[in-house]
Amino acid sequence: MNSNLEEQKKGKYVLIRDDAEDSELGQFYKPLPCFGFGIGWFSFLLGFVFPFAWYVATFLYLISYYHRDPRERSGLAASAIAALIFSVALVITVLVLVFSGR
């Protein structure tokens, strides 16, 4: 330890041991899938083009997929909310079209 202090005083860099693999948080140092967004946020963005992606993410949210990686939880929840809003809007649109006489 004294040699490290002496090297630090001289302006040299001191090697710090990396315990990332030994700790519980080590698994969260790897990047998220789907271009680093995570499955949830990627599904949320993809859902604006293909709304079925919101329902897939909602299913993953309901089966607690986020227990594998807690960073996925917010994206999956956002997709579930988007699926709910889309479903309500779709039902209202269909009801208006059916009862408007078209």
Side-chain angles (χ1 to χ4, degrees):
M1 191 72 172
N2 274 340
S3 63
N4 286 342
L5 289 174
E6 291 172 8
E7 289 178 7
Q8 191 174 13
K9 287 179 183 178
K10 292 179 185 177
K12 294 183 179 181
Y13 291 103
V14 178
L15 180 63
I16 298 174
R17 188 170 159 234
D18 186 16
D19 294 331
E21 293 179 13
D22 298 333
S23 70
E24 291 180 15
L25 295 176
Q27 66 177 337
F28 302 125
Y29 286 131
K30 53 185 182 176
L32 290 169
C34 298
F35 309 106
F37 288 133
I39 295 171
W41 286 114
F42 186 75
S43 297
F44 179 74
L45 294 174
L46 186 65
F48 289 104
V49 179
F50 302 108
F52 184 70
W54 287 331
Y55 295 104
V56 172
T58 301
F59 175 73
L60 291 175
Y61 182 73
L62 292 176
I63 63 168
S64 301
Y65 178 79
Y66 53 83
H67 284 304
R68 292 185 185 177
D69 191 346
R71 298 176 294 173
E72 293 279 1
R73 185 179 214 160
S74 60
L76 293 173
S79 294
I81 292 168
L84 177 68
I85 292 170
F86 179 75
S87 297
V88 169
L90 185 66
V91 167
I92 290 172
T93 303
V94 168
L95 288 175
V96 167
L97 290 176
V98 167
F99 291 114
S100 68
R102 288 187 177 200

